[in-house]
Amino acid sequence: MREALGEFEQLVLLAILQLDGDVYAARIVEEIERRTGRSTAPAAVYITLRRLEEKGLVESWMSEPAQARGGKSRRCVKVTKAGVKGLRAAREANDRMWKGLELLRKGSR
Amino acid sequence: MLPPDVRRDVLEYLDDQLETRAVAGSARARLWYWSQAFSFAARFSGERLRGLRHAVSSTDAKLALRMLLRSPGLTMVGTLGMAVGIAIAAGMLSMLSAMTGPVLPFEEGDRIVVIEHYDTRQRQGLSQLAYDFPRWKASARSVTDMGAYRRLQRNLIEKGRTPETLRVAEMSAAGFRVTRAAPLLGRTLRDEDELASAPRVAVIGEAVWRRTLGGDPDILGRPLQLGDTSYTVVGVMPASFEFPIRDQVWIPWSVNQVPHQPGEGPAIGVFAKIAPGFAIDTVRAEFAALGAQSSRALSDTHAHVEPRVVPFTQSYMDVGSPDNAPVVNAIRVFVVLLLAVVSINVASLVYARTARRQNEIALRTALGAGRGRIVAQLFMEALALAGCAAAIGLLIAWFGLRILDEGFQASMGGQLAFWIRFGLSSQVVFYTAALALMAAAIVGVVPALKATGRHVQSTLKTASAGGGGMRLGRVWTGLIVAQVAFAVALLPIAIYNAGEATVYGTAKPDEDGAEFLMADLLLDATGMPSDAEVERRFVSRHAELMRALEREPRVAAATFSLTNPGGESLMFIEVEGVAPPLEPPSSVVLEGSSMGHLAKATRVDPGYFDAYRIDQLAGRRLTAADAVPGASAVIVSRTFAERFFASGNPLGRRFRYVGRGGMNPDIAALNRWYEIAGVVSDFPNIPALTMNGPHGITYVYHAAARPAMGATVLSIRVRGGAPETFADRLREVASAVDPGLQLQDVGTFGQGLAADQAMWRLLAGLLAGLALAVVSLSGAGIYAMMSFTVSQRRREIGIRAALGADSRRILTGIFTRAFVQVAIGAAVGIAVAFLLDRATQGEVMGGHRAVALPAVALFMTVVGVAAAYGPARQGLRIHPTEALRSE
């Protein structure tokens, strides 16, 4: 079995899946910050993307040069099938751990 | 530091964010930028060391800091040494990248090229391209938006304001298209503005609009009087736009309104953008073909001329061209080597300390600590040291580059291209972080691996017996010898040059000069039919200006010379009846031979001496008759007369110029004999400011027949002090004489010197820092060696002392070996310094070799003795019973 996904790796993968169109590091930083409300180091996102790519959980390619950016292109990413599988496994593991703790989960304690 | 596949992406991300965030405040945006740059550097280097990271805990970091604080001497010396090394490395790399790597800061700025002519026989560029430009434009297919420019100076004349000389670019409308720059107000220039029948329009820069024209909101449509021509303002460009070089106002291209013959017309620059889908090599091939055609068709002018296509920034400064690649690479290698040398030095210190901790390491190994863990901890210690050093080094570099940038901007003014700025770039910060890691690896890992090697077990055995297991082998001896040699070779050069730089950097300008305002005088030559006409007009306007100045109540005297006082041309002379120097006094020779004595020569108005109140000591003054062609009478300064004729009579003696070291060829002809007709006192009498010590005030004055366009410096003695306050009035008077008369570099002695002196002080500080680092590293190295030796031979000293030997004799024996090493190092260092001094013809030590080398050798011996003093006392205190107790 593969190494389990870390929390931040999960956040990055989920952010990619949440975004439409070309997804690149700067958008992922914004998406995580927007959804979690916590400040995120861009360097951490870059490193995590690299690590995820090494594990085969994301794929990256260079976009077409954009006129608006002076003809520069960007490294875009997408989640691979293995990535989706990894996320699902993490979610299931999480759910199993929460089982029986419903009261705590609702915040009633 | 960053892996190549993400480097560009990260840098672009940071730049994009900086731009977006700068809207909310540029200081905060920069702070964010740098913090993120550090964060990237730190996280990616952490990522690289992931394997090691498992072994390193926060406890290691705390331990590392504690260890650094526990040996403050080592920490200070090590940090200082590495910080100076890193500062020099970062500074040099920043300067290199400012000059070699710049790309125009526009969209696709790297696709903007310059097309120029190169004369293959004369080996020089040609800029008379007014004939070729329209033809290239009509036929070239691999480029778009080809345009041309020429740079002019124009006086901005505004009622009720002091005239101001502006840098004006007469430029094709294409210049705005290739840069894709948008105006702040109104519009940019258009192709139809270039027609002879079009109304005269101008686009101004934001700085001119805000500062000179008071930010007038109704600026569009307002008239703008430049020299004797009026334009209508149609647009304002943002402050960031200074294309092509560093320009403030743009007027339409008009050179091609009249036809030009091949090779004639004004000097112009031609630029274009590489068309989409083409590469620069294709453009080069196309222009080579066009060049071949014109070589055949125009054999009179174009036979040996070929067009060259170069990136825009490279045409301005050629540092980045492939021809210079070896030099650039040599600098890069030097930077890495410098840091490696410093790191090895620090490594040797750490090694000595590690050796003293050998027992602790052996114990920890015995208790189960793996080799990886111990190495990781020692690496952390070195990393903490290198990290502190990198931070201090970067701070020094940042500060130094700021002074350098200010100095360059001030001294080059409008001539320095707008894209050249010296400062720390993110690349350099990343690179420095990588260098710091390299330093930490050398400093921490090498000694650590050695300390945790195979012998650890045997160390444990001997540990209880009171001795360490590490030995100082040949490498160590070699290091000490190299270190001392390096110090002895470098110190005299560093100290001499730091001293000179301090003298230049802190010298006070001459008292007499303090009353003077100086300015370069030029005339706007646009529209004049010939050079002869320009010269005629210039001479007559100059005479009118002098008369007008005489009527000014604040002007006590006005005169002119070809060069600034103190900025006379450096020449090599042969004096009749005086032996030539044994070695050339300088290696800087532009023409002729350098086998002559140094002197500084200029041409002056015969009234120069009266204006500056320079005393006549012998002979006569210069007169107008001395200025006719063929006249040979000159005046020399007192130092000149004393230096070559001692107490003899200098009048009537002859000399000739054999070589030229200065740039100004109009001073005097080589190999013609001149006769001394008079002697005056030394002025300006500031040897320091003349860069050649006492040689610098051996002045020769020739009479100037009349002022010459492009080489006339006005000197005006102003009554009532603060001559700089007369600058505005001077501009008004000049503009009243002729709106085309231009004044450049208006200022006093002091103003011109201030920026220059700041750079000298910076150099002095750096050299002093380097010298201090070298001395303290060598001193610490010797200390470490002695201290190590004493602790290693503790038992032996104890036993011998117990057997009745005099401990002083024992120590003498031990230290003799160390002093032999210091002596070998000093000898090697002296030899290297001697060779260096010979190779540079005495310039690196200013001829003080005979004193400096023995002094430094003596000094290093003193440093060695001082460094050995502590360990020696330590050795003498060893008590036989104590040393033997463990046996």
Side-chain angles (χ1 to χ4, degrees), chain A residues 42 46-47 50-51 69 75, chain B residues 5 13 16 36 43 47:
Chain A
Y46 273 90
I47 285 174
R50 234 172 106 76
R51 213 179 283 160
R69 300 186 70 240
R75 183 173 292 279
Chain B
D5 56 323
Y13 167 76
D16 283 352
Q36 292 305 321
R43 282 173 192 259
E47 186 71 4

Side-chain angles (χ1 to χ4, degrees), chain B residues 249-335:
Chain B
V249 174
W250 297 266
I251 57 174
W253 178 246
S254 68
V255 169
N256 287 108
Q257 284 175 5
V258 290
H260 290 275
Q261 292 305 308
E264 289 180 5
I268 66 171
V270 175
F271 58 83
K273 192 166 216 169
I274 303 174
F278 287 91
I280 194 164
D281 288 335
T282 333
V283 184
R284 285 186 175 135
E286 184 180 22
F287 275 88
L290 289 175
Q293 277 174 23
S294 41
S295 291
R296 283 194 298 275
L298 306 163
S299 54
D300 286 352
T301 52
H302 286 51
H304 304 285
V305 162
E306 58 185 40
R308 283 203 173 175
V309 180
V310 290
F312 195 92
T313 50
Q314 197 179 306
S315 74
Y316 176 81
M317 207 181 246
D318 219 11
V319 185
S321 82
D323 296 350
N324 291 323
V327 180
V328 170
N329 286 334
I331 295 177
R332 292 210 171 103
V333 170
F334 170 79
V335 163

Side-chain angles (χ1 to χ4, degrees), chain B residues 762-778:
Chain B
L762 169 71
L763 181 68
L766 264 185
L767 287 170
L770 189 67
L772 190 66
V774 165
V775 171
S776 40
L777 279 174
S778 321

Side-chain angles (χ1 to χ4, degrees), chain B residues 144-177:
Chain B
T144 59
D145 285 324
M146 189 185 286
Y149 70 88
R150 63 170 169 159
R151 303 189 69 213
L152 308 165
Q153 306 256 2
R154 289 279 190 280
N155 283 349
L156 173 64
I157 317 271
E158 281 266 297
K159 256 211 181 104
R161 286 192 61 93
T162 311
E164 186 183 343
T165 307
L166 297 179
R167 298 183 295 274
V168 177
E170 184 182 320
M171 182 174 85
S172 309
F176 293 93
R177 291 198 295 270

Side-chain angles (χ1 to χ4, degrees), chain B residues 507-523:
Chain B
K508 292 273 177 292
D510 196 282
E511 286 285 305
D512 294 335
E515 291 173 83
F516 278 81
L517 185 69
M518 289 178 294
D520 292 350
L521 188 70
L522 291 164
L523 182 68

Side-chain angles (χ1 to χ4, degrees), chain B residues 429-783:
Chain B
V429 174
F430 284 135
Y431 194 73
T432 309
L435 287 179
L437 262 182
M438 174 193 93
I442 297 177
V443 168
V445 177
V446 176
L449 287 178
K450 210 152 179 288
T452 55
R454 293 178 270 122
H455 309 296
V456 179
Q457 291 310 319
S458 60
T459 305
L460 195 60
K461 275 185 230 148
T462 48
S464 56
M470 283 167 85
R471 288 277 170 269
L472 296 177
R474 278 197 204 122
V475 178
W476 179 268
T477 313
L479 264 177
I480 294 287
V481 170
Q483 204 166 13
V484 173
F486 186 65
V488 170
L490 191 89
L491 265 188
I493 300 171
I495 291 174
Y496 167 71
N497 286 289
E500 291 282 283
T502 310
V503 172
Y504 302 145
T506 54
K508 292 273 177 292
D510 196 282
E511 286 285 305
D512 294 335
E515 291 173 83
F516 278 81
L517 185 69
M518 289 178 294
D520 292 350
L521 188 70
L522 291 164
L523 182 68
D524 183 351
T526 325
M528 290 190 209
S530 65
D531 288 351
E533 173 62 14
V534 175
E535 281 300 326
R536 196 192 62 73
R537 276 268 281 279
F538 181 73
V539 171
S540 89
R541 296 294 184 272
H542 172 266
E544 273 177 62
L545 176 64
M546 289 310 217
R547 282 196 294 277
L549 284 174
E550 275 168 27
R551 292 193 292 273
E552 286 294 310
R554 283 196 70 193
V555 174
T559 183
F560 73 88
S561 50
L562 252 66
T563 56
N564 275 324
E568 295 81 3
S569 274
L570 197 63
M571 306 290 281
F572 297 92
I573 61 169
E574 177 195 332
V575 184
E576 209 173 31
V578 176
L582 294 174
E583 282 177 13
S586 165
S587 48
V588 187
V589 61
L590 297 181
E591 192 191 344
S593 150
S594 60
M595 274 309 293
H597 299 282
L598 278 185
K600 295 186 81 186
T602 188
R603 280 189 180 271
V604 298
D605 168 30
Y608 182 85
F609 303 98
D610 285 330
Y612 271 107
R613 297 185 181 133
I614 302 171
D615 297 330
Q616 187 79 30
L617 304 177
R620 63 175 178 84
R621 299 233 133 169
L622 287 175
T623 66
D626 296 320
V628 298
S632 61
V634 297
I635 299 274
V636 298
S637 63
R638 186 174 60 95
T639 301
F640 184 106
E642 284 173 0
R643 189 161 166 235
F644 297 117
F645 312 113
S647 50
N649 183 8
L651 299 180
R653 300 290 292 267
R654 301 200 309 162
F655 72 89
R656 63 175 176 172
Y657 298 109
V658 293
R660 195 190 307 286
M663 302 284 255
N664 199 333
D666 298 327
I667 303 291
L670 294 189
N671 300 319
R672 245 196 69 193
W673 290 96
Y674 291 96
E675 193 178 314
I676 298 167
V679 179
V680 292
S681 60
D682 294 331
F683 175 83
N685 188 9
I686 326 166
L689 298 183
T690 55
M691 291 291 300
N692 289 287
H695 305 248
I697 38 179
T698 49
Y699 297 123
V700 179
Y701 298 98
H702 298 258
R706 52 196 172 75
M709 175 78 170
T712 296
V713 180
L714 291 183
S715 297
I716 299 159
R717 196 165 82 228
V718 180
R719 288 196 182 97
E724 63 277 8
T725 56
F726 186 68
D728 283 352
R729 180 64 195 149
L730 175 63
R731 288 200 177 91
E732 283 167 21
V733 174
S735 156
V737 167
D738 186 330
L741 264 187
Q742 296 169 349
L743 295 159
Q744 282 178 14
D745 295 332
V746 183
T748 61
F749 253 142
Q751 286 172 329
L753 282 174
D756 220 29
Q757 289 193 302
M759 283 210 260
W760 281 113
R761 287 196 296 271
L762 169 71
L763 181 68
L766 264 185
L767 287 170
L770 189 67
L772 190 66
V774 165
V775 171
S776 40
L777 279 174
S778 321
I782 296 168
Y783 172 86

